[in-house]
Amino acid sequence: MVARKTVSKELTREMILEAANDLFVKKGYQHVSMRQIATKLNYSHGSLYYHFKNKAELFFALVENHFQLLDERMFAIQRKELSNEEKLKHLMQDYIAFGLTHQSHYEIMFLIKDADVRTFTEEAPMKAYQRFAHFVAAWSSKALSIQVIWSMFLSLHGFVTHYIRHVNNYEDVEAMAKHHVSLLLQWTK
């Protein structure tokens, strides 16, 4: 019988999620195994099952964490003492900033296309859109159609996906992002 190797620190959910995030972005959901995640962490693959019953559950937990970060940012804007126009501006700029600051998160949240997780990867982004739409409708100075709000969301998403992997962070395109948002804000006046 081979003796178990000792580990320097206890494996946590956060450690697993971080390692999985990197692998899912680099290889895609279908091409990552629990064993590969464990190897990246220098743990046995069995130790991952203490925290997650399978790869799909791990992936769902990862995506939920990412959407929670985005939600927190949107709700933080709601609590600020700003005019509605300023809230809209911050909402849109912050959406772009989130996507370009957390590029691997954004890819997992919105860009992974895999049959095993399709239901979840379609449901979670739609909930994010609904929150976005709620805030835009509440803060706009005129009534906007669903089509206009959806177009605004797609425009922001398109901006992020255009620059993802081509810039290091939001600051690299901040001036262009602000210009893009100012164009979108014209629809709300």
PDB file of all heavy atoms in Angstrom, residues 32-57:
ATOM      1  N   VAL A  32     -12.553  19.147 -19.841  1.00  0.00           N
ATOM      2  CA  VAL A  32     -11.973  19.225 -18.494  1.00  0.00           C
ATOM      3  C   VAL A  32     -12.590  18.125 -17.645  1.00  0.00           C
ATOM      4  O   VAL A  32     -13.795  17.910 -17.688  1.00  0.00           O
ATOM      5  CB  VAL A  32     -12.248  20.608 -17.854  1.00  0.00           C
ATOM      6  CG1 VAL A  32     -11.781  20.644 -16.403  1.00  0.00           C
ATOM      7  CG2 VAL A  32     -11.579  21.708 -18.658  1.00  0.00           C
ATOM      8  N   SER A  33     -11.756  17.448 -16.895  1.00  0.00           N
ATOM      9  CA  SER A  33     -12.236  16.397 -15.990  1.00  0.00           C
ATOM     10  C   SER A  33     -11.940  16.792 -14.547  1.00  0.00           C
ATOM     11  O   SER A  33     -11.087  17.654 -14.288  1.00  0.00           O
ATOM     12  CB  SER A  33     -11.555  15.067 -16.303  1.00  0.00           C
ATOM     13  OG  SER A  33     -10.176  15.142 -15.971  1.00  0.00           O
ATOM     14  N   MET A  34     -12.624  16.147 -13.650  1.00  0.00           N
ATOM     15  CA  MET A  34     -12.353  16.362 -12.224  1.00  0.00           C
ATOM     16  C   MET A  34     -10.903  15.982 -11.923  1.00  0.00           C
ATOM     17  O   MET A  34     -10.235  16.625 -11.122  1.00  0.00           O
ATOM     18  CB  MET A  34     -13.322  15.559 -11.363  1.00  0.00           C
ATOM     19  CG  MET A  34     -14.772  16.019 -11.463  1.00  0.00           C
ATOM     20  SD  MET A  34     -15.065  17.655 -10.775  1.00  0.00           S
ATOM     21  CE  MET A  34     -15.493  17.213  -9.092  1.00  0.00           C
ATOM     22  N   ARG A  35     -10.418  14.952 -12.573  1.00  0.00           N
ATOM     23  CA  ARG A  35      -9.032  14.514 -12.373  1.00  0.00           C
ATOM     24  C   ARG A  35      -8.046  15.610 -12.783  1.00  0.00           C
ATOM     25  O   ARG A  35      -7.060  15.861 -12.106  1.00  0.00           O
ATOM     26  CB  ARG A  35      -8.779  13.223 -13.155  1.00  0.00           C
ATOM     27  CG  ARG A  35      -7.485  12.537 -12.806  1.00  0.00           C
ATOM     28  CD  ARG A  35      -7.360  11.193 -13.508  1.00  0.00           C
ATOM     29  NE  ARG A  35      -8.389  10.230 -13.140  1.00  0.00           N
ATOM     30  CZ  ARG A  35      -8.327   9.429 -12.090  1.00  0.00           C
ATOM     31  NH1 ARG A  35      -7.287   9.473 -11.294  1.00  0.00           N
ATOM     32  NH2 ARG A  35      -9.302   8.576 -11.844  1.00  0.00           N
ATOM     33  N   GLN A  36      -8.317  16.297 -13.897  1.00  0.00           N
ATOM     34  CA  GLN A  36      -7.435  17.383 -14.346  1.00  0.00           C
ATOM     35  C   GLN A  36      -7.442  18.544 -13.354  1.00  0.00           C
ATOM     36  O   GLN A  36      -6.397  19.150 -13.097  1.00  0.00           O
ATOM     37  CB  GLN A  36      -7.869  17.891 -15.722  1.00  0.00           C
ATOM     38  CG  GLN A  36      -7.606  16.926 -16.844  1.00  0.00           C
ATOM     39  CD  GLN A  36      -8.238  17.375 -18.144  1.00  0.00           C
ATOM     40  OE1 GLN A  36      -9.353  17.903 -18.163  1.00  0.00           O
ATOM     41  NE2 GLN A  36      -7.532  17.160 -19.237  1.00  0.00           N
ATOM     42  N   ILE A  37      -8.605  18.841 -12.820  1.00  0.00           N
ATOM     43  CA  ILE A  37      -8.696  19.916 -11.830  1.00  0.00           C
ATOM     44  C   ILE A  37      -7.884  19.539 -10.595  1.00  0.00           C
ATOM     45  O   ILE A  37      -7.119  20.351 -10.067  1.00  0.00           O
ATOM     46  CB  ILE A  37     -10.169  20.207 -11.464  1.00  0.00           C
ATOM     47  CG1 ILE A  37     -10.939  20.713 -12.695  1.00  0.00           C
ATOM     48  CG2 ILE A  37     -10.263  21.215 -10.320  1.00  0.00           C
ATOM     49  CD1 ILE A  37     -12.446  20.712 -12.541  1.00  0.00           C
ATOM     50  N   ALA A  38      -8.040  18.301 -10.146  1.00  0.00           N
ATOM     51  CA  ALA A  38      -7.296  17.828  -8.972  1.00  0.00           C
ATOM     52  C   ALA A  38      -5.790  17.854  -9.232  1.00  0.00           C
ATOM     53  O   ALA A  38      -5.010  18.265  -8.366  1.00  0.00           O
ATOM     54  CB  ALA A  38      -7.742  16.416  -8.598  1.00  0.00           C
ATOM     55  N   THR A  39      -5.384  17.443 -10.409  1.00  0.00           N
ATOM     56  CA  THR A  39      -3.960  17.446 -10.759  1.00  0.00           C
ATOM     57  C   THR A  39      -3.406  18.866 -10.711  1.00  0.00           C
ATOM     58  O   THR A  39      -2.302  19.088 -10.193  1.00  0.00           O
ATOM     59  CB  THR A  39      -3.752  16.836 -12.161  1.00  0.00           C
ATOM     60  OG1 THR A  39      -4.215  15.480 -12.139  1.00  0.00           O
ATOM     61  CG2 THR A  39      -2.296  16.875 -12.574  1.00  0.00           C
ATOM     62  N   LYS A  40      -4.154  19.802 -11.240  1.00  0.00           N
ATOM     63  CA  LYS A  40      -3.718  21.212 -11.211  1.00  0.00           C
ATOM     64  C   LYS A  40      -3.503  21.687  -9.770  1.00  0.00           C
ATOM     65  O   LYS A  40      -2.617  22.489  -9.498  1.00  0.00           O
ATOM     66  CB  LYS A  40      -4.747  22.097 -11.918  1.00  0.00           C
ATOM     67  CG  LYS A  40      -4.363  23.563 -11.971  1.00  0.00           C
ATOM     68  CD  LYS A  40      -5.366  24.344 -12.790  1.00  0.00           C
ATOM     69  CE  LYS A  40      -5.089  25.816 -12.711  1.00  0.00           C
ATOM     70  NZ  LYS A  40      -4.273  26.345 -13.767  1.00  0.00           N
ATOM     71  N   LEU A  41      -4.304  21.153  -8.861  1.00  0.00           N
ATOM     72  CA  LEU A  41      -4.224  21.557  -7.452  1.00  0.00           C
ATOM     73  C   LEU A  41      -3.263  20.699  -6.626  1.00  0.00           C
ATOM     74  O   LEU A  41      -3.023  20.988  -5.459  1.00  0.00           O
ATOM     75  CB  LEU A  41      -5.618  21.479  -6.818  1.00  0.00           C
ATOM     76  CG  LEU A  41      -6.624  22.495  -7.311  1.00  0.00           C
ATOM     77  CD1 LEU A  41      -8.040  22.080  -6.929  1.00  0.00           C
ATOM     78  CD2 LEU A  41      -6.295  23.868  -6.761  1.00  0.00           C
ATOM     79  N   ASN A  42      -2.757  19.616  -7.219  1.00  0.00           N
ATOM     80  CA  ASN A  42      -1.890  18.661  -6.499  1.00  0.00           C
ATOM     81  C   ASN A  42      -2.638  17.908  -5.402  1.00  0.00           C
ATOM     82  O   ASN A  42      -2.098  17.685  -4.322  1.00  0.00           O
ATOM     83  CB  ASN A  42      -0.662  19.339  -5.911  1.00  0.00           C
ATOM     84  CG  ASN A  42       0.510  19.308  -6.848  1.00  0.00           C
ATOM     85  OD1 ASN A  42       0.523  18.528  -7.801  1.00  0.00           O
ATOM     86  ND2 ASN A  42       1.483  20.144  -6.596  1.00  0.00           N
ATOM     87  N   TYR A  43      -3.879  17.551  -5.687  1.00  0.00           N
ATOM     88  CA  TYR A  43      -4.697  16.763  -4.777  1.00  0.00           C
ATOM     89  C   TYR A  43      -5.223  15.557  -5.544  1.00  0.00           C
ATOM     90  O   TYR A  43      -5.225  15.546  -6.776  1.00  0.00           O
ATOM     91  CB  TYR A  43      -5.887  17.579  -4.247  1.00  0.00           C
ATOM     92  CG  TYR A  43      -5.508  18.571  -3.175  1.00  0.00           C
ATOM     93  CD1 TYR A  43      -5.041  19.831  -3.499  1.00  0.00           C
ATOM     94  CD2 TYR A  43      -5.623  18.245  -1.824  1.00  0.00           C
ATOM     95  CE1 TYR A  43      -4.689  20.752  -2.525  1.00  0.00           C
ATOM     96  CE2 TYR A  43      -5.272  19.158  -0.842  1.00  0.00           C
ATOM     97  CZ  TYR A  43      -4.808  20.400  -1.202  1.00  0.00           C
ATOM     98  OH  TYR A  43      -4.455  21.297  -0.226  1.00  0.00           O
ATOM     99  N   SER A  44      -5.720  14.578  -4.812  1.00  0.00           N
ATOM    100  CA  SER A  44      -6.351  13.436  -5.473  1.00  0.00           C
ATOM    101  C   SER A  44      -7.722  13.875  -5.980  1.00  0.00           C
ATOM    102  O   SER A  44      -8.349  14.759  -5.391  1.00  0.00           O
ATOM    103  CB  SER A  44      -6.503  12.272  -4.503  1.00  0.00           C
ATOM    104  OG  SER A  44      -7.498  12.574  -3.545  1.00  0.00           O
ATOM    105  N   HIS A  45      -8.158  13.268  -7.068  1.00  0.00           N
ATOM    106  CA  HIS A  45      -9.460  13.684  -7.611  1.00  0.00           C
ATOM    107  C   HIS A  45     -10.592  13.347  -6.643  1.00  0.00           C
ATOM    108  O   HIS A  45     -11.613  14.020  -6.630  1.00  0.00           O
ATOM    109  CB  HIS A  45      -9.699  13.104  -9.005  1.00  0.00           C
ATOM    110  CG  HIS A  45      -9.998  11.655  -9.046  1.00  0.00           C
ATOM    111  ND1 HIS A  45      -9.032  10.685  -8.917  1.00  0.00           N
ATOM    112  CD2 HIS A  45     -11.168  11.008  -9.200  1.00  0.00           C
ATOM    113  CE1 HIS A  45      -9.586   9.507  -8.984  1.00  0.00           C
ATOM    114  NE2 HIS A  45     -10.888   9.661  -9.160  1.00  0.00           N
ATOM    115  N   GLY A  46     -10.410  12.340  -5.816  1.00  0.00           N
ATOM    116  CA  GLY A  46     -11.427  11.995  -4.825  1.00  0.00           C
ATOM    117  C   GLY A  46     -11.686  13.112  -3.835  1.00  0.00           C
ATOM    118  O   GLY A  46     -12.807  13.267  -3.339  1.00  0.00           O
ATOM    119  N   SER A  47     -10.663  13.929  -3.562  1.00  0.00           N
ATOM    120  CA  SER A  47     -10.835  15.021  -2.594  1.00  0.00           C
ATOM    121  C   SER A  47     -11.774  16.103  -3.120  1.00  0.00           C
ATOM    122  O   SER A  47     -12.403  16.819  -2.337  1.00  0.00           O
ATOM    123  CB  SER A  47      -9.482  15.617  -2.206  1.00  0.00           C
ATOM    124  OG  SER A  47      -8.821  16.145  -3.337  1.00  0.00           O
ATOM    125  N   LEU A  48     -11.923  16.201  -4.430  1.00  0.00           N
ATOM    126  CA  LEU A  48     -12.848  17.184  -4.998  1.00  0.00           C
ATOM    127  C   LEU A  48     -14.299  16.803  -4.738  1.00  0.00           C
ATOM    128  O   LEU A  48     -15.158  17.669  -4.579  1.00  0.00           O
ATOM    129  CB  LEU A  48     -12.630  17.326  -6.503  1.00  0.00           C
ATOM    130  CG  LEU A  48     -11.570  18.318  -6.957  1.00  0.00           C
ATOM    131  CD1 LEU A  48     -10.199  17.968  -6.466  1.00  0.00           C
ATOM    132  CD2 LEU A  48     -11.586  18.439  -8.458  1.00  0.00           C
ATOM    133  N   TYR A  49     -14.538  15.487  -4.672  1.00  0.00           N
ATOM    134  CA  TYR A  49     -15.910  15.013  -4.498  1.00  0.00           C
ATOM    135  C   TYR A  49     -16.449  15.271  -3.092  1.00  0.00           C
ATOM    136  O   TYR A  49     -17.649  15.170  -2.868  1.00  0.00           O
ATOM    137  CB  TYR A  49     -16.011  13.532  -4.870  1.00  0.00           C
ATOM    138  CG  TYR A  49     -15.801  13.323  -6.352  1.00  0.00           C
ATOM    139  CD1 TYR A  49     -14.588  12.853  -6.842  1.00  0.00           C
ATOM    140  CD2 TYR A  49     -16.804  13.630  -7.253  1.00  0.00           C
ATOM    141  CE1 TYR A  49     -14.396  12.677  -8.198  1.00  0.00           C
ATOM    142  CE2 TYR A  49     -16.623  13.461  -8.615  1.00  0.00           C
ATOM    143  CZ  TYR A  49     -15.407  12.980  -9.077  1.00  0.00           C
ATOM    144  OH  TYR A  49     -15.222  12.822 -10.429  1.00  0.00           O
ATOM    145  N   TYR A  50     -15.600  15.636  -2.190  1.00  0.00           N
ATOM    146  CA  TYR A  50     -16.049  16.053  -0.867  1.00  0.00           C
ATOM    147  C   TYR A  50     -16.804  17.375  -0.977  1.00  0.00           C
ATOM    148  O   TYR A  50     -17.749  17.645  -0.241  1.00  0.00           O
ATOM    149  CB  TYR A  50     -14.855  16.196   0.085  1.00  0.00           C
ATOM    150  CG  TYR A  50     -15.213  16.760   1.434  1.00  0.00           C
ATOM    151  CD1 TYR A  50     -15.837  15.968   2.400  1.00  0.00           C
ATOM    152  CD2 TYR A  50     -14.956  18.093   1.739  1.00  0.00           C
ATOM    153  CE1 TYR A  50     -16.186  16.488   3.639  1.00  0.00           C
ATOM    154  CE2 TYR A  50     -15.304  18.626   2.975  1.00  0.00           C
ATOM    155  CZ  TYR A  50     -15.916  17.819   3.908  1.00  0.00           C
ATOM    156  OH  TYR A  50     -16.269  18.334   5.134  1.00  0.00           O
ATOM    157  N   HIS A  51     -16.400  18.214  -1.943  1.00  0.00           N
ATOM    158  CA  HIS A  51     -16.985  19.544  -2.125  1.00  0.00           C
ATOM    159  C   HIS A  51     -18.056  19.588  -3.223  1.00  0.00           C
ATOM    160  O   HIS A  51     -18.989  20.388  -3.146  1.00  0.00           O
ATOM    161  CB  HIS A  51     -15.893  20.553  -2.448  1.00  0.00           C
ATOM    162  CG  HIS A  51     -14.869  20.698  -1.364  1.00  0.00           C
ATOM    163  ND1 HIS A  51     -15.083  21.469  -0.247  1.00  0.00           N
ATOM    164  CD2 HIS A  51     -13.639  20.148  -1.213  1.00  0.00           C
ATOM    165  CE1 HIS A  51     -14.024  21.410   0.543  1.00  0.00           C
ATOM    166  NE2 HIS A  51     -13.136  20.603  -0.020  1.00  0.00           N
ATOM    167  N   PHE A  52     -17.898  18.774  -4.257  1.00  0.00           N
ATOM    168  CA  PHE A  52     -18.815  18.777  -5.407  1.00  0.00           C
ATOM    169  C   PHE A  52     -19.083  17.346  -5.837  1.00  0.00           C
ATOM    170  O   PHE A  52     -18.153  16.562  -5.982  1.00  0.00           O
ATOM    171  CB  PHE A  52     -18.197  19.552  -6.584  1.00  0.00           C
ATOM    172  CG  PHE A  52     -17.863  20.977  -6.257  1.00  0.00           C
ATOM    173  CD1 PHE A  52     -16.563  21.334  -5.919  1.00  0.00           C
ATOM    174  CD2 PHE A  52     -18.840  21.956  -6.271  1.00  0.00           C
ATOM    175  CE1 PHE A  52     -16.252  22.646  -5.607  1.00  0.00           C
ATOM    176  CE2 PHE A  52     -18.533  23.271  -5.953  1.00  0.00           C
ATOM    177  CZ  PHE A  52     -17.233  23.616  -5.622  1.00  0.00           C
ATOM    178  N   LYS A  53     -20.358  17.019  -6.106  1.00  0.00           N
ATOM    179  CA  LYS A  53     -20.667  15.635  -6.445  1.00  0.00           C
ATOM    180  C   LYS A  53     -20.246  15.271  -7.868  1.00  0.00           C
ATOM    181  O   LYS A  53     -20.029  14.113  -8.168  1.00  0.00           O
ATOM    182  CB  LYS A  53     -22.146  15.320  -6.217  1.00  0.00           C
ATOM    183  CG  LYS A  53     -23.112  15.973  -7.144  1.00  0.00           C
ATOM    184  CD  LYS A  53     -24.548  15.575  -6.816  1.00  0.00           C
ATOM    185  CE  LYS A  53     -25.509  16.295  -7.742  1.00  0.00           C
ATOM    186  NZ  LYS A  53     -26.884  16.022  -7.403  1.00  0.00           N
ATOM    187  N   ASN A  54     -20.111  16.279  -8.759  1.00  0.00           N
ATOM    188  CA  ASN A  54     -19.650  16.025 -10.121  1.00  0.00           C
ATOM    189  C   ASN A  54     -19.206  17.340 -10.777  1.00  0.00           C
ATOM    190  O   ASN A  54     -19.328  18.408 -10.188  1.00  0.00           O
ATOM    191  CB  ASN A  54     -20.734  15.326 -10.949  1.00  0.00           C
ATOM    192  CG  ASN A  54     -22.034  16.105 -10.982  1.00  0.00           C
ATOM    193  OD1 ASN A  54     -22.048  17.330 -11.042  1.00  0.00           O
ATOM    194  ND2 ASN A  54     -23.147  15.385 -10.932  1.00  0.00           N
ATOM    195  N   LYS A  55     -18.730  17.216 -11.998  1.00  0.00           N
ATOM    196  CA  LYS A  55     -18.217  18.378 -12.723  1.00  0.00           C
ATOM    197  C   LYS A  55     -19.322  19.403 -12.996  1.00  0.00           C
ATOM    198  O   LYS A  55     -19.081  20.617 -12.899  1.00  0.00           O
ATOM    199  CB  LYS A  55     -17.574  17.916 -14.027  1.00  0.00           C
ATOM    200  CG  LYS A  55     -16.963  19.025 -14.846  1.00  0.00           C
ATOM    201  CD  LYS A  55     -16.213  18.503 -16.044  1.00  0.00           C
ATOM    202  CE  LYS A  55     -17.127  18.077 -17.146  1.00  0.00           C
ATOM    203  NZ  LYS A  55     -16.441  17.852 -18.437  1.00  0.00           N
ATOM    204  N   ALA A  56     -20.507  18.946 -13.316  1.00  0.00           N
ATOM    205  CA  ALA A  56     -21.605  19.877 -13.598  1.00  0.00           C
ATOM    206  C   ALA A  56     -21.937  20.717 -12.371  1.00  0.00           C
ATOM    207  O   ALA A  56     -22.128  21.933 -12.472  1.00  0.00           O
ATOM    208  CB  ALA A  56     -22.836  19.120 -14.078  1.00  0.00           C
ATOM    209  N   GLU A  57     -21.995  20.091 -11.197  1.00  0.00           N
ATOM    210  CA  GLU A  57     -22.273  20.837  -9.971  1.00  0.00           C
ATOM    211  C   GLU A  57     -21.177  21.868  -9.703  1.00  0.00           C
ATOM    212  O   GLU A  57     -21.456  23.000  -9.312  1.00  0.00           O
ATOM    213  CB  GLU A  57     -22.393  19.892  -8.779  1.00  0.00           C
ATOM    214  CG  GLU A  57     -22.730  20.629  -7.490  1.00  0.00           C
ATOM    215  CD  GLU A  57     -22.829  19.696  -6.294  1.00  0.00           C
ATOM    216  OE1 GLU A  57     -23.894  19.072  -6.143  1.00  0.00           O
ATOM    217  OE2 GLU A  57     -21.849  19.593  -5.527  1.00  0.00           O
TER     218      GLU A  57
END
